[in-house]
């Protein structure tokens, strides 16, 4: 038997020919990492972006995937697609496990990537304040996998309630608890309420989804504490109009498969959503740098770690002080501006020039409470209600990556606004995962 010759596809150079261009490695393809990569497009650099996911996620809208308002593909874009026209950039799919500062190398499971400048933008995950065992019963929202798993969990609760004979168990299945009264918690609670009380109200025969209880727990004295008091009060009124039960000054003391424990009682529930805190990636450990209690790496005014002029830490994993002396919040605008600044600092260093300290320009903040209701503070201008909601919609559509995604999201929002329908109600969990939603029962 004669074997045909194997055709070999030639390997092309990883970068265009830039001679002695500086090697910049960016770990993380979130808002901060991508902002830095794109800002280096025309610099004399060779940029390598490393991420364990092949896509960038527009995290502010993850809760809409979790509540079946949007599809995952509408808020996520492959990193290679985003950087395909940037000739000096390459993308590596891999999980970083450490940094060798002496050899100036980033370590992944199967390779070492050398750098002249390093930008760590590895983000954050959920923090359970020393109760990591709660995570299994109270997942958070940071990735597409988180969102699709939570969507299955929420929809399965309704499906199980439809066939449940025990009244107490049916009530438990139709009780949804959201822990944390920040923007993620408020937006998620409002979205779950709209899903239950409007989108699903005619789809079941034995249960009435409008009877579902959505409970929002906040340990502080008010919701959305980063906003002015009047906007916070407006958000509280709007979310209560949606039928959400808001409990302020209420700290969680325990979470298991069947209950959420409070200081003054328990809430029977099968579905808990965590939106109460974050923990930074292990970037500080990789660098041997000082970190705060949330694991964020302490950086100087130029976003570099102490004692190094070639290592930047930005985004949610950085502890940076703003002009007011307070830590900068872990939000997308901060991450984007830090990414652009790190790129600018590298370009200045290559030219042998100094760069001014990083200054965050605060254009404002906004949060939606539900259909036709949102609050926004934009450089002194305070908006709420329908006007705030339109502003929130416009801003999020504008900042989405890709024209196709912007059109798709805008169309879905308009359709949902007119019809109350949600088209992404798919349960994708595997059978083993489905059994987690409630205890197994023998069929009658």
């Amino acid at each position: 038997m004669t074997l045909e010759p194997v055709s070999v596809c030639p390997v092309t150079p990883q970068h265009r020919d830039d001679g002695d261009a500086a090697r910049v490695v960016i770990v993380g393809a979130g808002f901060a990492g991508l902002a830095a990569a794109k800002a280096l497009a025309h610099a004399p650099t060779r940029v390598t972006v490393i991420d364990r996911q092949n896509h960038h996620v527009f995290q502010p809208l993850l809760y809409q995937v979790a509540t079946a308002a949007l599809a995952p593909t509408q808020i996520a874009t492959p990193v290679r697609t985003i950087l395909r026209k940037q000739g000096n950039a390459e993308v590596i799919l891999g999980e970083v496990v450490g940094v060798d500062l002496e050899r100036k190398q980033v370590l992944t499971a199967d390779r070492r990537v050398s750098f002249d400048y390093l930008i760590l933008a590895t983000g954050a995950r959920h923090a359970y304040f020393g109760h990591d065992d709660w995570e299994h019963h109270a997942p958070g929202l940071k990735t597409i996998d988180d969102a699709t798993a939570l969507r299955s969990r929420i929809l399965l609760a309704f499906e199980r309630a439809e066939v449940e004979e025990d009244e107490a168990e049916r009530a438990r299945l139709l009780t949804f608890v959201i822990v944390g009264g920040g923007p993620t918690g408020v937006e998620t609670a409002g979205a779950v309420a709209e899903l239950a009380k409007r989108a699903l109200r005619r789809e079941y025969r034995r249960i009435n989804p409008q009877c579902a209880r959505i409970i929002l727990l906040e340990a502080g004295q008010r919701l959305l504490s980063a906003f002015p008091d009047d906007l916070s009060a407006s958000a509280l009124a709007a979310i209560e109009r949606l039928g959400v039960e808001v409990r302020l000054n209420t700290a969680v003391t325990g979470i298991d498969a069947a209950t959420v424990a409070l200081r003054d009682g328990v809430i029977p529930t099968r579905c808990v959503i965590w939106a109460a805190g974050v923990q930074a990636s292990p970037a500080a450990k990789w660098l041997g740098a000082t970190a705060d209690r949330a694991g964020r790496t302490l950086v100087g005014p130029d976003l570099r770690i102490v004692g190094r002029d070639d290592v930047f830490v930005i985004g949610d994993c950085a502890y940076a002080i703003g002009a007011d002396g307070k830590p900068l919040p872990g939000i997308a605008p901060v991450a984007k501006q830090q990414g652009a600044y790190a790129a600018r600092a590298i370009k200045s260093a290559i030219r042998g020039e100094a760069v001014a300290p990083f200054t965050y320009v605060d254009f404002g903040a906004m949060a939606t409470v539900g259909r036709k209701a949102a609050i926004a503070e934009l450089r002194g201008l305070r908006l709420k209600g329908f006007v705030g909601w339109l502003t929130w919609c416009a801003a999020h559509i504008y900042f989405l990556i890709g024209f196709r995604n912007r059109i798709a999201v805008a169309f879905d929002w308009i359709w949902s606004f007119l019809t109350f329908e949600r088209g992404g109600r798919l349960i994708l969990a595997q059978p083993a995962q489905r059994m987690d939603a409630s205890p197994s029962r023998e069929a009658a």
Side-chain angles (χ1 to χ4, degrees):
M1 181 176 61
T2 303
L3 296 178
E4 295 185 7
V6 178
S7 176
V8 178
C9 181
V11 177
T12 57
Q14 293 179 336
H15 295 279
R16 66 191 183 193
D17 186 9
D18 283 327
D20 296 326
R23 298 167 298 180
V24 180
V25 175
I26 301 172
V27 182
F31 289 113
L34 281 183
K38 291 193 285 188
L40 290 169
H42 302 293
T45 57
R46 293 181 293 155
V47 179
T48 300
V49 178
I50 306 175
D51 198 293
R52 60 184 176 185
Q53 304 289 344
N54 80 323
H55 53 270
H56 166 79
V57 178
F58 192 78
Q59 285 192 348
L61 293 181
L62 269 174
Y63 79 95
Q64 295 218 352
V65 174
T67 55
L70 295 175
T73 53
Q74 291 174 311
I75 68 165
T77 306
V79 178
R80 294 186 184 279
T81 299
I82 298 170
L83 298 176
R84 63 185 172 189
K85 295 181 180 179
Q86 187 168 326
N88 70 334
E90 70 163 335
V91 178
I92 294 177
L93 180 65
E95 183 166 3
V96 172
V97 297
V99 175
D100 186 337
L101 289 177
E102 184 177 348
R103 293 183 173 84
K104 302 186 72 167
Q105 293 177 332
V106 173
L107 313 179
T108 70
D110 58 357
R111 72 183 66 202
R112 289 174 171 258
V113 183
S114 298
F115 63 84
D116 295 309
Y117 296 94
L118 172 63
I119 300 176
L120 291 178
T122 46
R125 287 289 293 174
H126 328 298
Y128 292 86
F129 310 114
H131 299 279
D132 292 343
D133 54 307
W134 293 357
E135 183 172 9
H136 179 70
H137 306 295
L141 274 172
K142 286 296 181 182
T143 68
I144 287 291
D145 287 342
D146 293 339
T148 54
L150 187 54
R151 180 182 66 190
S152 293
R153 194 182 189 99
I154 293 170
L155 295 176
L156 275 169
F158 289 100
E159 297 298 330
R160 292 188 177 279
E162 175 76 351
V163 298
E164 180 58 57
E165 299 295 339
D166 181 75
E167 184 176 345
E169 180 62 23
R170 187 163 58 248
R172 193 189 301 267
L173 286 164
L174 292 178
T175 299
F176 302 88
V177 178
I178 297 90
V179 183
T184 300
V186 169
E187 291 174 345
T188 303
V192 173
E194 290 188 332
L195 174 68
K197 299 179 184 298
R198 290 174 177 170
L200 300 180
R201 69 187 187 278
R202 297 178 182 174
E203 304 227 347
Y204 293 86
R205 298 296 178 262
R206 302 184 64 202
I207 63 170
N208 180 3
Q210 292 180 307
C211 294
R213 293 180 67 196
I214 296 88
I215 303 173
L216 177 60
L217 305 178
E218 166 56 38
Q221 297 181 352
R222 61 188 180 96
L223 298 181
L224 302 169
S225 58
F227 288 82
D229 288 352
D230 60 326
L231 292 182
S232 176
S234 175
L236 174 61
I239 201 166
E240 287 182 332
R241 284 195 297 271
L242 286 175
V244 176
E245 301 176 33
V246 179
R247 301 189 188 183
L248 303 175
N249 300 304
T250 303
V252 172
T253 60
I255 301 174
D256 59 30
T259 59
V260 172
L262 311 175
R263 288 184 182 140
D264 57 355
V266 298
I267 302 173
T269 178
R270 292 293 182 196
C271 188
V272 185
I273 302 169
W274 188 263
V278 294
Q279 179 74 26
S281 71
K285 294 181 180 178
W286 297 342
L287 301 172
T290 305
D292 72 344
R293 289 188 301 174
R296 295 177 298 179
T297 305
L298 271 64
V299 297
D302 56 1
L303 305 183
R304 294 175 168 99
I305 63 171
V306 176
R308 304 283 304 205
D309 60 4
D310 57 348
V311 179
F312 298 80
V313 183
I314 59 177
D316 289 354
C317 61
Y319 184 91
I321 302 299
D324 59 359
K326 298 179 180 179
L328 293 174
I331 56 177
V334 172
K336 288 181 175 182
Q337 291 183 37
Q338 288 181 336
Y341 172 87
R344 187 165 66 250
I346 289 172
K347 289 186 283 188
S348 295
I350 292 172
R351 295 192 298 266
E353 301 172 355
V355 64
F358 172 74
T359 302
Y360 171 56
V361 180
D362 187 358
F363 293 102
M366 56 185 65
T368 183
V369 184
R371 180 184 174 87
K372 298 191 296 185
I375 60 172
E377 183 183 29
L378 307 173
R379 311 207 76 170
L381 177 64
R382 297 181 182 181
L383 305 173
K384 56 186 177 182
F386 186 64
V387 174
W389 182 74
L390 288 177
T391 304
W392 180 91
C393 290
H396 283 69
I397 289 173
Y398 175 79
F399 286 112
L400 272 171
I401 292 179
F403 179 76
R404 179 181 177 276
N405 283 350
R406 296 189 188 108
I407 295 299
V409 169
F411 177 82
D412 269 11
W413 281 352
I414 292 171
W415 183 256
S416 179
F417 181 82
L418 295 175
T419 67
F420 295 99
E421 292 183 2
R422 299 196 177 195
R425 301 202 314 269
L426 303 179
I427 298 174
L428 301 177
Q430 297 299 314
Q433 294 173 295
R434 293 182 184 181
M435 297 306 294
D436 251 356
S438 66
S440 60
R441 287 178 174 269
E442 287 187 272

